[in-house]
Amino acid sequence: MKSFKLISICAAAGLLLTGCGSFTDNTTDTSELEYATFETVMAELDELPSLELDNIALSEGITVNRPQRLVSMTLANRLPDAGAAKRLADAFLPGNSFVINEASTLSEYFIREDLGRGGLFSLEGYGFFGYAASGRDFQPQYDSEGKVFLNAGRENTALSLSNGELTLDKALSLAQKTADKYTGALGMAPLVPTIAKYNSSGFVIRFSPDLDGWLLPDQPVAANEAVNPEMIKSALHREYRCCVASTELAGMFAGAGCIYCREEKAVDKMVTLSSALRFLDVSIASGMDCTIRQISLVQILTSRGTEVQDASELSDSELRAELEGGYETSPAWQFDLTNDSKEYVAYIDCLTGEFAFGQLMAGA
């Protein structure tokens, strides 16, 4: 079966946080954080451009996603079946004559077809999905020339491809149409684009499920040498991306399957954005000369542990129970920061004030 982790963290050797900034003694002391009602915090977002900080710069035009209400969640995976496989096949390749299999184990494919020209269409039992009409739709994910955070001011980057000019706006449009086919076929929450990477051969658009306005962590962070590595491991990176290497269509790759909110619990108050930013400004950014490129309200797992569970060690029934059983989450602030050529992510739990900080994995 495909190799994947239920807790998707693999430590990237050599990525040390030493030298990334001047940490103070109170790096993990979040007692000064302030709490307010959800309505107050949402109103505070309008004042974000005027917030003054000593050590941190905010990207021009930065915005924050606005959830509908303040909740913690129980998330779960809805595993695909033969019906889901047929709906996906019909959505992406109408009129196909694929034979849909009833996979006896999660490691087997419901459908896997070679489309020729290097393309493929596949859906595996635990939820991995891949679609590429041709080999170019496997546009390289790494070694990119640029990275664009889509919730801040940006230029409409353009690439010269063999079949014409591909702008970022056009790539986003193609990617969104492809993502909408995927979520529509599965009855899944919408996917919203958060980050675009590009090189000379095309764009990779990274998505997050939109759970009534809440997003999920969208960048893989190295746990070694991180501040609070257990929390970093619980801030799971979800894999949903579209590769756009032509002016005509986008490939689709989803490694996390169909995630949905099974239950939610209302919460009264949360950490304010202004106090979270002041905490970062004092505790990690002194001497760092960093810029916050993206701010997101996300749901992260509340479970904490040092062990990474290898899915290959689980039986089919155990794996199914892990995926479908559900996992508790808590609302959190996610901050994406850059310092020269390095990139970092910080998390602050909106309910407890728990803090974590780490460097992105190589190639992320």
Side-chain angles (χ1 to χ4, degrees):
M1 69 180 289
K2 279 184 165 47
S3 175
F4 74 107
K5 305 290 186 184
L6 291 177
I7 297 180
S8 180
I9 289 290
C10 59
L15 290 180
L16 302 180
L17 291 183
T18 54
C20 73
S22 300
F23 291 88
T24 65
D25 292 336
N26 67 339
T27 298
T28 57
D29 179 9
T30 58
S31 60
E32 297 300 315
L33 290 173
E34 299 171 355
Y35 294 77
T37 64
F38 178 69
E39 291 73 21
T40 298
V41 174
M42 291 299 100
E44 183 187 44
L45 298 183
D46 296 329
E47 307 300 321
L48 181 60
S50 61
L51 185 64
E52 294 185 1
L53 301 168
D54 294 328
N55 304 303
I56 293 179
L58 298 176
S59 289
E60 184 176 353
I62 195 168
T63 60
V64 185
N65 54 298
R66 297 186 182 227
Q68 296 181 16
R69 52 196 170 274
L70 178 59
V71 294
S72 58
M73 293 182 173
T74 301
L75 301 181
N77 289 68
R78 186 180 295 116
L79 298 183
D81 54 17
K86 185 179 189 316
R87 291 193 299 272
L88 283 167
D90 290 344
F92 281 83
L93 296 164
N96 69 85
S97 58
F98 297 158
V99 176
I100 310 297
N101 300 311
E102 274 287 3
S104 59
T105 67
L106 295 183
S107 62
E108 294 182 359
Y109 285 95
F110 287 103
I111 183 171
R112 183 177 178 88
E113 295 288 338
D114 181 359
L115 302 181
R117 306 181 309 281
L120 69 79
F121 184 94
S122 64
L123 173 67
E124 196 160 350
Y126 67 80
F128 168 81
F129 174 72
Y131 164 70
S134 67
R136 67 184 177 184
D137 298 314
F138 289 105
Q139 185 264 320
Q141 184 180 3
Y142 302 123
D143 191 27
S144 60
E145 296 177 354
K147 188 172 189 177
V148 179
F149 291 86
L150 299 174
N151 69 338
R154 55 181 171 81
E155 296 181 359
N156 189 18
T157 303
L159 306 176
S160 296
L161 304 181
S162 59
N163 64 339
E165 182 181 78
L166 177 63
T167 65
L168 175 56
D169 285 349
K170 177 66 173 179
L172 285 169
S173 176
L174 293 171
Q176 190 67 65
K177 289 179 181 177
T178 301
D180 289 346
K181 287 183 183 180
Y182 173 75
T183 57
L186 293 184
M188 181 181 163
L191 291 172
V192 296
T194 58
I195 295 170
K197 295 176 64 178
Y198 62 91
N199 58 24
S200 59
S201 59
F203 292 92
V204 173
I205 312 298
R206 188 174 293 166
F207 288 83
S208 168
D210 181 348
L211 302 167
D212 287 336
W214 291 98
L215 304 181
L216 298 179
D218 58 3
Q219 300 224 71
V221 183
N224 61 315
E225 298 299 325
V227 175
N228 196 353
E230 292 186 7
M231 185 178 182
I232 290 293
K233 291 178 182 179
S234 296
L236 294 182
H237 165 231
R238 313 290 183 168
E239 184 60 59
Y240 298 99
R241 72 182 189 274
C242 285
C243 297
V244 191
S246 76
T247 60
E248 301 168 358
L249 53 80
M252 178 76 197
F253 300 88
C258 181
I259 296 174
Y260 71 101
C261 178
R262 194 172 68 188
E263 187 179 355
E264 62 181 41
K265 181 179 178 180
V267 182
D268 293 330
K269 292 186 177 182
M270 64 183 293
V271 172
T272 65
L273 178 56
S274 57
S275 70
L277 286 170
R278 287 195 298 269
F279 167 77
L280 294 178
D281 194 47
V282 172
S283 62
I284 69 170
S286 178
M288 190 175 174
D289 190 26
C290 66
T291 299
I292 291 182
R293 304 285 302 281
Q294 177 173 267
I295 303 173
S296 306
L297 278 165
V298 299
Q299 292 282 335
I300 65 171
L301 270 65
T302 57
S303 61
R304 299 287 182 267
T306 58
E307 296 298 321
V308 175
Q309 190 171 26
D310 189 343
S312 65
E313 297 178 354
L314 300 178
S315 68
D316 186 63
S317 60
E318 289 172 331
L319 180 54
R320 181 178 295 276
E322 290 279 357
L323 292 171
E324 294 184 322
Y327 32 94
E328 306 304 315
T329 67
S330 180
W333 293 105
Q334 174 184 304
F335 301 93
D336 294 85
L337 306 94
T338 59
N339 174 26
D340 298 326
S341 61
K342 296 180 181 179
E343 296 184 83
Y344 309 93
V345 178
Y347 295 100
I348 296 178
D349 188 298
C350 290
L351 307 185
T352 66
E354 185 180 6
F355 169 70
F357 181 76
Q359 185 173 328
L360 284 193
M361 289 183 179

